[in-house]
Amino acid sequence: MHALVFIKQVPDASQVRVNYETGTLIREGVPAILNPFEVHAVEEAVKIRQKFGGKVTILTMGPPQAADALKECLSRGADKGYLLSDRIFAGSDTLATSYALYEGAKKIIELEGEVDFFFAGKQAIDGDTAQTGPGIATRFNVPLVTYLIKLDEINLEEKYVIATRLTEFGQETLKVPIPVFFTVEESLNTLSHSPLPWLIKAAQSKIEILSGENVDLDKNQCGLKNSPTIVKKAFTPEKKQRGATLTGTFDEVVNQAAEKVAPFLNDAL
Amino acid sequence: MSNLKYDVIVVGAGPAGLAAATVLAKAGVKVIVIERGRFAGSKNVMGGVFYSDCMKGIIDDFPGKAPVERHIIDQRIWLLDNNSFVGFNHKNELFNKKPYNCHTVFRAKFDNWFAKQAADAGALIITRTLAKEAIIENNRIVGITTGRPDGDIKADCVIIADGVNSLLAKSLGFRKEIKRESVALAVKEVIGLDEKIINDRFNVKSGEGVTIEVTGSFFNGEAMAFIYTNKKSISLGVGMVVEDLVKNKINPNDLLESFKAHPSVAPLINGGETKEYLAHLIPEGGYKEMPKLIGNGVMVVGDAAMMVDAIHREGSNLAVTSGKLAAETYIEAAKAGDFSKKSLSLYEEKLKESFVMKDLKKYKGVPALLQHNKRLLQQYPKILNNAAFEILNVNGVSKHDKEKLLWKNMKQQIGVSNLIRDLFKLWRNVG
Ligand SMILES: Cc1cc2nc3c(=O)[nH]c(=O)nc-3n(C[C@H](O)[C@H](O)[C@H](O)COP(=O)(O)OP(=O)(O)OC[C@H]3O[C@@H](n4cnc5c(N)ncnc54)[C@H](O)[C@@H]3O)c2cc1C
């Protein structure tokens, strides 16, 4: 079994503030963390390895500091971390990012062998697009299960999984052939406490760096220049006021509600 | 049972622990550092002025690439009253010469950097892991337990550098629960401002910095506050002994807000945006409250050992120095393979010869003096502020009459015998 988890280092959302004038995030001085959804992706991959054997490889694209996020994945039980880092990738949108990660992943397959399970978080908390994972899956042309909340069954011999995902209306349980790409929800699993030897191994291990030169790249698909996404406007949604709570007997509440709503209807009709 | 075995376990990746780990690793000692925070520095707070000198023999060419903010060339002391202050300044071009004497730093960045230096030297830095208890066999410490599965670690020697609340020193019975009058709670805000605005308001160039230490009647003589310049922000905070906070039912946040609103402070931070809010304890008991420093297979360093010189806002440099001395002691002890209390008593000797113990001893009476003589920082600053105003405010009263009036006020408010007593005590304790 080989699982490849795509992770991202993001600013700690609990400490990010919004500049209300420009609608942008103030990231300065905010510590970087492993995207919370991907913590659960790593956990799930490691759980599968503990059951079936094999290995868990991690890939991220980012600046050299992103190595810290990879090390955290190793301390959570992953076997090896790769950092795809090059100026050529700077300013990538989700299209260019999924391209770069796809090429990076192909390199990893070359080095580490075929992948059975691809994992990513359902989205990154600093962008919330939920596009990068599906973008990679599409390029690999493998089945995609987004918003994974449960792996009901894994059958490596017959090469299928039964997986449950969250939809807008409820849940959906699917039987999907392996290799498969999952993007995961936090409710997929509860995090376990890694044994100390894992942390020691992680601290001692080296992160493999892949530069643009190491992977087979079409430069015309990389970086800001080749990122068609245009952010037209960013704004902070106004905080909605909590609705009024009416109390009393049923009749009283209906009367109160009617009185409150009537003026609006008068205006509208 | 795990079989993790190292030469030395350092508990806590603050300045004390990291200094010890770096010195040990550079000498080829197998050292592991256990830190509970998500990364070294993630939970650590100081004002903070970091003194360069203590890094000698630990990091070559400090500060080098270390994340420091501004080097300090102008130090100010304010005795604050409700609408005024009487101040003292020292600005000196000598402080503009390299190597700079001290810099402002952010601990989250600084400790993280320091941990990377220790790791590069060969120390193993393990974060997100709580050290719980010492493992004791045959009356000597042989390791620690951690909050993780398979988490026991063995070692020849444990260096306890887990800060003011030192779980380990307490669990070993080296010290009791810290007394409420021996510990201050400090709250701090980082307020973002343009670099140029800071330069203008504090009358310095980029890179140059100012510190202001504040006390006085504004705080009823019971709090110490500070204002430090960083590159693009100002750190400002206020600390108060926990006993006084409780007794006077003061909320430290309110104290900080009233400080920020003071007419002498508000213009300095006007237009700034709060970027961070932090709180931390400062051990202020000094020499008299120090715990046991050594045992069989164990040494205590830094805040865990109460090594803070509160009136000079020095703590991190005592921490670094004590960490270094503990490391040197281990290296000596390893030659004979003897880590008994007797062998480790070299650490105590080294401390006594260093500025750490000399300063702590010299000012050993200060914490109690300030705690029990509130008028020192309450009435005198008020009288001084009034005096300055009386003398500078030209209103047709002769200087002679003004002086007489001031002296009369002083006699009424303090009394001559108290004045003599206070002067004598001050001279004895800080002179
Ligand atoms: C508001 C404020 C302003 C200050 N200003 C200054 C200043 O301007 N200049 C100055 O020199 N000093 C200043 N100090 C004092 C200075 O911060 C301390 O003296 C110094 O940090 C002590 O270093 P240390 O390594 O002993 O402890 P710490 O820096 O507290 O480090 C202890 C480390 O141990 C970790 N830890 C604790 N318990 C455990 C455990 N059980 N297991 C694992 N890890 C653990 C902590 O997370 C932490 O990283 C200030 C302090 C405060 C609070």
Side-chain angles (χ1 to χ4, degrees):
Chain A
M1 191 287 303
H2 184 198
L4 175 58
V5 188
F6 298 91
I7 63 132
K8 184 177 184 188
Q9 193 182 42
V10 294
D12 185 350
S14 61
Q15 298 191 35
V16 172
R17 281 154 309 104
V18 177
N19 180 332
Y20 284 91
E21 274 157 34
T22 60
T24 51
L25 300 180
I26 306 169
R27 297 174 194 228
E28 203 185 275
V30 174
I33 57 167
L34 178 56
N35 184 30
F37 299 105
E38 273 124 34
V39 180
H40 293 271
V42 174
E43 178 84 18
E44 197 65 19
V46 169
K47 260 169 63 183
I48 297 174
R49 185 201 60 203
Q50 282 176 311
K51 196 157 169 202
F52 296 97
K55 67 180 170 189
V56 176
T57 311
I58 314 284
L59 174 60
T60 191
M61 181 179 92
Q65 308 87 279
D68 289 344
L70 287 170
K71 288 238 168 173
E72 181 174 342
C73 296
L74 299 185
S75 76
R76 293 182 180 279
D79 296 282
K80 205 160 181 184
Y82 285 88
L83 171 61
L84 187 58
S85 193
D86 202 307
R87 273 169 201 274
I88 193 174
F89 302 124
S92 295
D93 67 357
T94 51
L95 185 75
T97 301
S98 63
Y99 171 70
L101 286 171
Y102 165 68
E103 291 297 349
K106 282 205 313 203
K107 182 77 193 176
I108 288 176
I109 291 170
E110 203 182 300
L111 296 167
E112 305 280 338
E114 286 299 327
V115 170
D116 303 296
F117 303 108
F118 296 94
F119 279 98
K122 72 163 176 180
Q123 62 199 40
I125 57 167
D126 61 344
D128 284 352
T129 66
Q131 291 169 348
T132 306
I136 307 167
T138 307
R139 292 173 195 277
F140 270 113
N141 198 19
V142 292
L144 168 66
V145 179
T146 49
Y147 309 109
L148 180 73
I149 53 171
K150 191 160 178 240
L151 269 179
D152 305 79
E153 189 192 333
I154 297 173
N155 194 323
L156 288 179
E157 263 113 66
E158 293 173 38
K159 289 204 161 288
Y160 70 84
V161 295
I162 296 180
T164 302
R165 64 186 288 266
L166 209 59
T167 73
E168 272 174 69
F169 311 104
Q171 300 182 354
E172 194 172 63
T173 300
L174 308 160
K175 184 173 174 186
V176 196
I178 295 172
V180 52
F181 198 115
F182 302 112
T183 75
V184 314
E185 292 277 354
E186 279 174 306
S187 59
L188 175 62
N189 50 41
T190 47
L191 300 178
S192 55
H193 215 37
S194 314
L196 186 60
W198 290 10
L199 280 91
I200 291 174
K201 203 173 134 219
Q204 286 169 328
S205 59
K206 244 191 73 212
I207 297 299
E208 307 284 336
I209 312 270
L210 299 175
S211 74
E213 308 285 297
N214 304 129
V215 292
D216 186 18
L217 277 186
D218 170 6
K219 296 215 160 70
N220 292 324
Q221 295 194 53
C222 293
L224 184 64
K225 265 207 320 243
N226 302 296
S227 292
T229 309
I230 295 167
V231 179
K232 213 172 145 207
K233 184 175 173 225
F235 64 95
T236 325
E238 267 178 51
K239 277 203 186 118
K240 286 220 179 83
Q241 281 186 343
R242 257 188 80 200
T245 310
L246 305 177
T247 52
T249 65
F250 180 76
D251 285 348
E252 282 165 5
V253 169
V254 170
N255 279 336
Q256 286 175 43
E259 263 167 47
K260 286 204 191 276
V261 175
F264 296 100
L265 288 179
N266 277 338
D267 284 351
L269 295 175
Chain B
M1 198 56 217
S2 87
N3 47 6
L4 300 170
K5 168 85 174 75
Y6 294 83
D7 296 336
V8 179
I9 301 165
V10 174
V11 180
L18 292 169
T22 308
V23 172
L24 288 168
K26 282 189 172 171
V29 175
K30 232 179 120 197
V31 53
I32 185 170
V33 181
I34 299 295
E35 164 60 44
R36 66 176 170 174
R38 214 166 43 71
F39 57 88
S42 61
K43 295 186 167 185
N44 299 347
V45 183
M46 74 181 198
V49 178
F50 187 80
Y51 298 89
S52 310
D53 184 70
C54 62
M55 294 299 255
K56 273 186 198 149
I58 302 173
I59 303 280
D60 298 332
D61 335 306
F62 182 82
K65 291 210 172 95
V68 292
E69 294 287 316
R70 290 174 184 250
H71 65 274
I72 304 304
I73 63 158
D74 180 356
Q75 314 211 16
R76 308 175 186 173
I77 295 174
W78 287 1
L79 294 172
L80 202 64
D81 195 24
N82 292 347
N83 295 306
S84 62
F85 71 83
V86 172
F88 174 81
N89 260 32
H90 182 61
K91 187 173 183 177
N92 196 328
E93 271 309 298
L94 287 176
F95 287 128
N96 243 336
K97 292 221 160 58
K98 286 185 176 177
Y100 298 130
N101 188 259
C102 59
H103 300 80
T104 39
V105 302
F106 289 119
R107 287 288 300 279
K109 281 190 200 161
F110 185 83
D111 292 9
N112 201 17
W113 166 84
F114 201 172
K116 291 227 154 70
Q117 309 308 303
D120 286 349
L124 199 53
I125 313 279
I126 303 298
T127 56
R128 294 189 291 124
T129 301
L130 183 78
K132 282 191 143 166
E133 276 172 15
I135 305 172
I136 301 173
E137 281 170 15
N138 302 326
N139 197 27
R140 48 162 299 155
I141 287 152
V142 294
I144 60 161
T145 63
T146 66
R148 292 198 171 271
D150 303 327
D152 293 0
I153 320 171
K154 295 281 182 75
D156 292 337
C157 183
V158 177
I159 296 182
I160 298 182
D162 55 356
V164 52
N165 262 324
S166 189
L167 210 64
L168 272 260
K170 268 185 276 186
S171 83
L172 285 173
F174 278 24
R175 69 175 225 204
K176 299 206 180 68
E177 201 60 56
I178 203 164
K179 284 191 211 146
R180 286 207 308 222
E181 65 246 35
S182 301
V183 61
L185 175 63
V187 289
K188 163 182 163 179
E189 248 179 64
V190 179
I191 295 181
L193 276 171
D194 272 358
E195 186 165 359
K196 197 173 162 318
I197 293 181
I198 296 175
N199 295 352
D200 289 347
R201 286 184 189 173
F202 287 86
N203 190 23
V204 286
K205 298 200 217 40
S206 291
E208 301 173 345
V210 176
T211 62
I212 311 176
E213 312 296 329
V214 188
T215 185
S217 33
F218 180 70
F219 299 117
N220 285 326
E222 293 188 317
M224 297 275 196
F226 61 84
I227 302 171
Y228 297 158
T229 53
N230 306 309
K231 274 185 192 140
K232 292 181 189 167
S233 63
I234 289 174
S235 293
L236 120 178
V238 50
M240 194 161 172
V241 170
V242 171
E243 171 74 15
D244 294 337
L245 281 171
V246 174
K247 199 180 64 204
N248 302 327
K249 299 200 174 69
I250 291 175
N251 177 338
N253 305 328
D254 298 343
L255 202 62
L256 184 58
E257 287 307 319
S258 69
F259 180 54
K260 280 164 62 186
H262 188 283
S264 301
V265 179
L268 293 176
I269 54 172
N270 184 28
E273 188 200 7
T274 301
K275 302 198 128 192
E276 265 184 282
Y277 186 87
L278 309 129
H280 205 274
L281 295 175
I282 312 179
E284 296 200 332
Y287 186 79
K288 288 184 179 163
E289 296 287 324
M290 283 175 81
K292 261 172 71 179
L293 297 176
I294 51 168
N296 292 322
V298 65
M299 292 180 265
V300 189
V301 297
D303 272 12
M306 275 263 178
M307 292 175 185
V308 170
D309 175 358
I311 53 167
H312 294 101
R313 57 130 200 263
E314 291 180 34
S316 56
N317 52 332
L318 281 70
V320 165
T321 305
S322 61
K324 183 174 87 173
L325 297 180
E328 289 171 1
T329 301
Y330 174 86
I331 294 165
E332 273 306 309
K335 288 181 188 157
D338 178 3
F339 307 105
S340 66
K341 185 174 171 183
K342 188 155 168 278
S343 167
L344 298 182
S345 66
L346 178 63
Y347 169 54
E348 284 185 326
E349 276 165 45
K350 282 174 176 283
L351 274 175
K352 271 185 207 139
E353 284 162 26
S354 76
F355 79 96
V356 175
M357 236 28 160
K358 285 183 182 157
D359 285 356
L360 286 170
K361 211 166 165 180
K362 177 166 159 65
Y363 300 110
K364 66 173 186 282
V366 172
L369 178 73
L370 296 182
Q371 189 61 22
H372 301 301
N373 296 269
K374 293 278 152 69
R375 74 166 163 267
L376 282 179
L377 292 178
Q378 185 180 0
Q379 282 176 313
Y380 289 103
K382 191 160 214 85
I383 289 167
L384 255 174
N385 274 275
N386 289 341
F389 178 76
E390 281 304 326
I391 287 174
L392 298 174
N393 184 35
V394 174
N395 58 357
V397 180
S398 79
K399 300 291 181 264
H400 177 79
D401 288 349
K402 283 190 176 191
E403 279 166 19
K404 256 172 80 179
L405 184 74
L406 288 172
W407 182 236
K408 203 177 122 206
N409 281 346
M410 171 85 106
K411 279 199 294 198
Q412 262 171 8
Q413 286 175 36
I414 306 222
V416 178
S417 59
N418 276 338
L419 181 65
I420 293 168
R421 220 174 282 146
D422 289 344
L423 282 174
F424 182 70
K425 277 188 199 154
L426 257 184
W427 173 72
R428 262 250 314 252
N429 282 294
V430 298

